[in-house]
Amino acid sequence: MSNLIELRDVGKQYGEEVILAKVSFALARGTAAAITGHSGGGKTTLLSIMGLLQRATSGTVLVDGQDIGNLAASRLAKLRGEYVGFVFQRARLIHSLTALENVIAPAWFIRKGVKVEQEAKVLLENFGLSHRLHHKPQELSLGQLRRIALARALLLKPPVLLADEPTNDLDPSLAAEVTECLLAARTGGTGVVIVTHDAGLAARADQTFQLAEKTLRPA
Ligand SMILES: Nc1ncnc2c1ncn2[C@@H]1O[C@H](COP(=O)(O)OP(=O)(O)OP(=O)(O)O)[C@@H](O)[C@H]1O
Ligand SMILES: [Mg+2]
């Protein structure tokens, strides 16, 4: 069976500046990978390439065995919507919507007609947010925003789930809970990639990598 995502000798430059060079990586179904590395090293850039938000400037990116290098932007966007869930480093919630509406909104578009509200409520309740369902982002703490972003990603049950420092801003017990939820997504076959500075979280993944000197190495 093909890997969910595979990178072969991927490079990324912004203008003349090389951010990533010769990065190779494969994510199998139902597994989790953790990536650590110093600030500014290119971790978020790497996730954005894995998540089809940006194109690599060299090398090959395969999705379920298919080289996506020549896919038109519209096809790539459609694939991204169906295939990838993100928990961004900055939560990126919609400010005019409540917590519950933020969780449901993408699922409305992608799983048209499917009843998602009850599932969304259960996710938010499991994250200790049952008393905040109808609050807007500006009324919520950073840790709460992060849990909403995670619920939004989990609700879609994507084949690939990418989380950028998902336990930042969380106290240890919530961090543990969020970690469990991320890793539990594996049981449905989802492949999970977690960028983290938390050594404890990284150790729970099936494979761990370090991003240093612009490339990825097993940690
Ligand atoms: N659109 C862009 N144009 C030019 N340079 C960029 C762009 N996006 C990121 N960079 C640069 O690329 C480098 C890597 O950034 P990136 O956000 O991937 O690092 P990171 O490892 O995620 O850091 P952190 O741990 O602080 O989140 C940084 O030097 C950043 O300034
Ligand atoms: Mg980052």
Side-chain angles (χ1 to χ4, degrees), residues 15-194:
E16 294 293 294
E17 191 181 350
V18 176
I19 306 295
L20 299 171
K22 297 233 171 249
V23 172
S24 292
F25 172 81
L27 183 67
R29 282 174 174 71
T31 67
I35 299 173
T36 59
H38 65 81
S39 180
K43 303 181 298 300
T44 297
T45 304
L46 178 58
L47 273 196
S48 74
I49 291 170
M50 289 181 187
L52 316 179
L53 280 170
Q54 289 202 81
R55 289 185 194 267
T57 38
S58 60
T60 310
V61 177
L62 300 124
V63 171
D64 198 15
Q66 186 195 1
D67 182 347
I68 54 104
N70 295 319
L71 276 192
S74 58
R75 296 263 321 273
L76 201 59
K78 186 166 185 290
L79 182 60
R80 179 171 63 237
E82 293 165 356
Y83 206 76
V84 189
F86 292 93
V87 182
F88 291 105
Q89 195 166 9
R90 300 169 198 170
R92 299 203 195 183
L93 300 176
I94 300 169
H95 287 266
S96 56
L97 300 182
T98 66
L100 182 61
E101 289 164 348
N102 261 293
V103 172
I104 295 169
W108 263 337
F109 289 108
I110 291 165
R111 289 164 56 191
K112 290 182 185 80
V114 178
K115 286 255 177 246
V116 288
E117 182 164 340
Q118 196 50 39
E119 239 179 291
K121 277 186 179 161
V122 169
L123 280 168
L124 288 171
E125 279 163 16
N126 289 346
F127 287 156
L129 288 169
S130 49
H131 62 310
R132 291 289 180 267
L133 297 183
H134 306 296
H135 286 244
K136 294 197 173 155
Q138 57 274 25
E139 300 159 356
L140 298 166
S141 73
L142 284 175
Q144 290 170 336
L145 296 177
R146 190 168 287 278
R147 281 174 275 158
I148 293 164
L150 179 59
R152 176 177 63 179
L154 290 173
L155 184 62
L156 292 169
K157 301 186 174 62
V160 171
L161 183 57
L162 305 178
D164 202 348
E165 303 193 24
T167 58
N168 278 11
D169 316 315
L170 300 182
D171 62 47
S173 71
L174 274 171
E177 200 174 311
V178 162
T179 302
E180 290 314 313
C181 289
L182 275 169
L183 294 175
R186 292 179 297 187
T187 58
T190 291
V192 184
V193 182
I194 305 170

